[in-house]
Amino acid sequence: MSAFPLREFASTAQASVDSGPQFPNEPTSIDETGLGMGFIADLVLKVIYFNGTISAQRISEQTCLPYLNVIDKVLQFLKMSEYVDIVGAEQGFGERAYQYVTTLQGSRKVNEVLERSQYAGPAPVPLASYIEMVNRQSIGGMTINQQRIREAFKDLVINEEMLDKIGPAANSARSLFLYGPPGNGKTTIAEGISRIMGGSVMLPYAVEIDGQVIKLYDPLNHSILTKPEMRQDDTPAPFGAVATTVPPAPDRRWLHCKRPRVMVGGELILEQLELIFDPISKVYEAPYQMKANGGLFLIDDFGRQRCRPEELLNRWIVPLEKKIDFLALQTGKKIEIPFDVLIVFSTNLDPKGLVDDAFLRRIRHKIEVANPTPNEYRDIFRIVCKAKGVPYSDDGLRYLIQEHYFKVNRELRCCHPRDLLDQVLDEAKYRGQQPQMNKELLDRACEAYFVKM
């Protein structure tokens, strides 16, 4: 059986707003869902049980499965098995309005089902369908030219040499190592690359493998562009009526999202890179790299995680080399997942103390994000002054650099203009003054911001 229904994808009316990937067609039978009758019956039984009383229409909405030829067949099966009963009807939907409850026998059955899994959300898609979709919308097909790079970073002070390094790294769709002193924009560069990637992906709510559910959609890391609505015209035409051609409805188990941008920092632990099994709900949570498929995965503050850098690096050896990842179920079964991710390591620690040559060889691009030059520092100050409504002063900047940088042997950082001007605004507001780059406010800002050595 094909991972997707054998019919073509949904019509261009349901195409993504950016001419990106389209929704798969809604399944027209239980077989086309890629899920077995038993799995869907268990899911529907849990939905009825948790809701108490619910109509067939609401069941279809909650499971994201079509009523006709799927939910109606499952409800017939559950009723014949005496697991559910009809207790009334809503208005306006015909048989879809029938209200269902679990029977005493159904309650016993649902307790057995809940021992296996408490998942009762949108129906998952088969693992094979998910893998096929990831391959269809791979980031490897992107082409990022010089114009797009310069457009994406036009509001930042970045020299041409740096831009010409970022472009090929983004095009590689593989891996990038950003290193250098803190506060110079490594995270900002990674975010800029994710904007350059643009485009969109189709993402399922959840994935099914061997009856197990892996939750994939994460509102913290995924931004929905289009969420298909349930269509109400899937009832058969009356006998003798002229048939009309209706474009296929979209499969509501999928979401149209921006390319993922997953960012983690020092809080990352190795367990979050594996399938996370909840022993209470008996449901898996997808690891970060799986949530990032088709987009960017930034490991910020690399080297400051609670696990040793060597352990983290060893975890990435195979995915970086083969573009696939292996995850283990509680049963011990290993599943193969695409690793279609631009992974970015960002650190302000010395790379030589973190990684060995074997790992660096597997990192496609290495970029040092150095301190700004005095001219670049001035350009950043001008931009930030304009954004914050503080009049820019060359004299004030010369005083700042001479007294608070050169005299104390302090390095320039890209983040300092923003942070120091925030301090200036705080000081001026407290004293009832207009914010400006004068000696008094700059001295107070530096005293509050910098730690005396």
Side-chain angles (χ1 to χ4, degrees):
M1 180 171 56
S2 173
F4 283 112
L6 296 177
R7 296 163 292 133
E8 294 297 321
F9 276 154
S11 66
T12 53
Q14 291 293 341
S16 64
V17 293
D18 61 352
S19 300
Q22 298 181 14
F23 284 101
N25 287 338
E26 186 176 70
T28 60
S29 67
I30 290 174
D31 282 346
E32 284 193 358
T33 67
L35 307 171
M37 167 65 90
F39 183 93
I40 301 176
D42 287 350
L43 178 64
V44 169
L45 188 61
K46 286 182 284 187
V47 168
I48 297 172
Y49 178 78
F50 286 134
N51 280 273
T53 301
I54 185 172
S55 69
Q57 170 79 5
R58 306 303 174 206
I59 294 171
S60 177
E61 291 172 359
Q62 289 191 25
T63 60
C64 296
L65 292 171
Y67 171 78
L68 191 64
N69 293 325
V70 178
I71 295 300
D72 61 344
K73 303 297 184 187
V74 172
L75 288 172
Q76 288 174 21
F77 168 76
L78 291 174
K79 194 167 186 311
M80 288 178 61
S81 301
E82 299 184 349
Y83 292 147
V84 301
D85 208 350
I86 299 173
V87 293
E90 292 181 340
Q91 293 181 349
F93 294 115
E95 290 186 359
R96 297 185 192 204
Y98 290 173
Q99 298 270 2
Y100 289 85
V101 296
T102 54
T103 63
L104 181 60
Q105 186 171 332
S107 296
R108 295 194 190 101
K109 176 63 176 178
V110 85
N111 287 330
E112 173 192 325
V113 171
L114 291 173
E115 283 295 315
R116 296 195 297 268
S117 171
Q118 295 185 14
Y119 183 80
V125 303
L127 177 63
S129 295
Y130 168 71
I131 292 174
E132 186 174 345
M133 183 63 85
V134 171
N135 292 332
R136 283 175 182 266
Q137 55 200 19
S138 172
I139 58 174
M142 296 186 308
T143 300
I144 298 170
N145 56 29
Q146 291 181 335
Q147 181 180 352
R148 284 183 65 185
I149 286 287
R150 280 149 182 77
E151 179 67 22
F153 290 96
K154 65 181 180 180
D155 296 327
L156 300 177
V157 177
I158 299 180
N159 59 52
E160 291 294 312
E161 181 182 359
M162 177 66 71
L163 290 175
D164 286 338
K165 291 179 180 178
I166 294 172
N171 269 324
S172 74
R174 300 280 291 200
S175 53
L176 169 61
F177 195 88
L178 295 172
Y179 64 98
N184 283 333
K186 294 184 292 296
T187 302
T188 302
I189 288 173
E191 292 174 341
I193 291 173
S194 111
R195 289 194 301 272
I196 296 167
M197 293 168 70
S200 56
V201 296
M202 288 296 167
L203 187 79
Y205 284 101
V207 174
E208 180 270 342
I209 174 68
D210 290 348
Q212 305 293 310
V213 176
I214 303 171
K215 291 195 296 184
L216 183 64
Y217 169 66
D218 181 352
L220 295 178
N221 293 301
H222 300 132
S223 179
I224 298 176
L225 294 173
T226 310
K227 187 176 180 180
E229 298 296 328
M230 180 177 181
R231 199 167 67 186
Q232 305 299 327
D233 59 358
D234 61 355
T235 52
F239 180 76
V242 177
T244 57
T245 301
V246 179
D251 190 338
R252 290 173 286 128
R253 295 177 295 172
W254 295 86
L255 297 166
H256 177 213
C257 299
K258 294 181 180 179
R259 285 198 180 273
R261 182 177 70 188
V262 178
M263 303 175 64
V264 296
E267 77 281 1
L268 177 67
I269 57 177
L270 279 177
E271 287 77 7
Q272 292 170 318
L273 303 179
E274 308 296 340
L275 288 173
I276 303 168
F277 183 72
D278 185 337
I280 304 299
S281 66
K282 309 293 194 302
V283 176
Y284 293 90
E285 181 80 18
Y288 282 128
Q289 68 273 21
M290 188 173 173
K291 292 179 180 180
N293 261 334
L296 178 140
F297 183 21
L298 169 63
I299 300 180
D300 210 0
D301 290 328
F302 177 62
R304 300 188 186 277
Q305 282 70 32
R306 285 182 279 175
C307 54
R308 292 185 298 114
E310 295 84 356
E311 295 175 325
L312 193 56
L313 296 178
N314 289 337
R315 177 63 183 82
W316 295 116
I317 291 295
V318 171
L320 288 173
E321 188 85 10
K322 306 294 186 182
K323 297 294 287 181
I324 58 173
D325 197 12
F326 293 94
L327 303 174
L329 299 172
Q330 285 285 302
T331 59
K333 179 175 180 176
K334 290 273 188 179
I335 59 174
E336 185 178 309
I337 299 292
F339 188 79
D340 186 52
V341 176
L342 172 58
I343 184 167
V344 180
F345 298 91
S346 173
T347 184
N348 52 42
L349 302 177
D350 182 4
K352 294 179 180 178
L354 286 176
V355 297
D356 57 20
D357 291 339
F359 183 76
L360 281 177
R361 178 175 58 83
R362 290 172 170 84
I363 300 293
R364 183 70 67 89
H365 293 268
K366 280 78 72 175
I367 299 178
E368 180 181 10
V369 184
N371 291 329
T373 64
N375 285 339
E376 290 171 339
Y377 189 81
R378 180 193 60 206
D379 291 342
I380 296 172
F381 234 106
R382 284 174 172 167
I383 292 173
V384 178
C385 278
K386 183 178 179 180
K388 295 185 178 294
V390 179
Y392 172 77
S393 166
D394 266 332
D395 291 338
L397 184 61
R398 276 194 293 269
Y399 171 80
L400 172 67
I401 292 177
Q402 181 63 34
E403 295 297 321
H404 295 284
Y405 285 91
F406 289 168
K407 279 190 176 182
V408 296
N409 197 29
R410 179 177 286 127
E411 295 180 339
L412 301 173
R413 294 280 196 272
C414 292
C415 66
H416 287 173
R418 176 200 63 201
D419 296 344
L420 289 174
L421 286 173
D422 281 340
Q423 295 283 354
V424 166
L425 289 169
D426 292 342
E427 294 288 345
K429 184 176 181 181
Y430 173 71
R431 287 168 174 75
Q433 304 174 7
Q434 288 297 317
Q436 53 187 312
M437 291 175 61
N438 60 25
K439 177 180 180 298
E440 178 190 7
L441 289 179
L442 287 173
D443 284 344
R444 291 184 180 276
C446 290
E447 183 179 0
Y449 181 68
F450 292 119
V451 177
K452 292 183 179 180
M453 305 302 289

